[in-house]
Amino acid sequence: KLLTMRKGGKVELARMIFAELTRDDASSKSPLPPGVKLRAVSFAGRLIILDLSREIISGLTNTGSRDEMLAVYGLVNTYLKNFPDCSEVQIKVEGRPVKTLAGHIEVNKPLAFFTEGGGHPFSF
């Protein structure tokens, strides 16, 4: 979907992207668990910092590595594809870094674009 940047600049566009990522409808399924909110977004050089609500963890509890990977890299790849001047995404929960969201993928450090098997990257 084509989104237009408004007066709010990069932060507003980042919020619009999150709204699209969390929308479930007949044509798309969100890679994120229901109820996840974007508490804050900021940019520091080539880094995008996403501060998510605790529902990202509770919604992924008792899921497998596939669901966690879809959530993590759904965020990372989508944001990096839409902000080509950035190279990494840091995910925080309730303002703090966390080791993992569901025990499988470390998110306590900034993450770069993911490509599976060197093929085409995926994004949502």
Side-chain angles (χ1 to χ4, degrees):
K1 183 173 182 178
L2 182 61
L3 301 175
T4 304
M5 194 180 316
R6 298 183 189 145
K7 288 184 180 181
K10 290 170 81 170
V11 170
E12 178 64 23
L13 181 57
R15 290 187 176 284
M16 291 168 61
I17 290 168
F18 192 83
E20 290 298 318
L21 272 173
T22 55
R23 184 187 348 207
D24 272 333
D25 58 31
S27 64
S28 66
K29 170 87 173 98
S30 175
L32 304 176
V36 176
K37 306 261 185 310
L38 179 62
R39 297 179 68 239
V41 59
S42 59
F43 294 82
R46 296 181 54 80
L47 178 67
I48 303 169
I49 303 163
L50 302 174
D51 181 13
L52 306 175
S53 64
R54 72 185 65 137
E55 288 83 4
I56 190 70
I57 292 176
S58 62
L60 290 171
T61 299
N62 299 321
T63 64
S65 59
R66 182 179 182 277
D67 288 338
E68 185 178 8
M69 187 171 84
L70 286 171
V72 169
Y73 283 103
L75 286 164
V76 171
N77 285 6
T78 299
Y79 277 94
L80 293 179
K81 185 161 182 126
N82 284 280
F83 294 99
D85 57 327
C86 295
S87 59
E88 294 181 309
V89 173
Q90 175 70 61
I91 297 172
K92 293 184 176 186
V93 178
E94 299 290 329
R96 297 190 177 114
V98 294
K99 184 167 176 140
T100 71
L101 300 179
H104 307 285
I105 300 170
E106 288 190 14
V107 295
N108 55 338
K109 297 178 214 151
L111 299 168
F113 212 82
F114 175 80
T115 58
E116 189 171 23
H120 294 288
F122 65 88
S123 61
F124 301 88

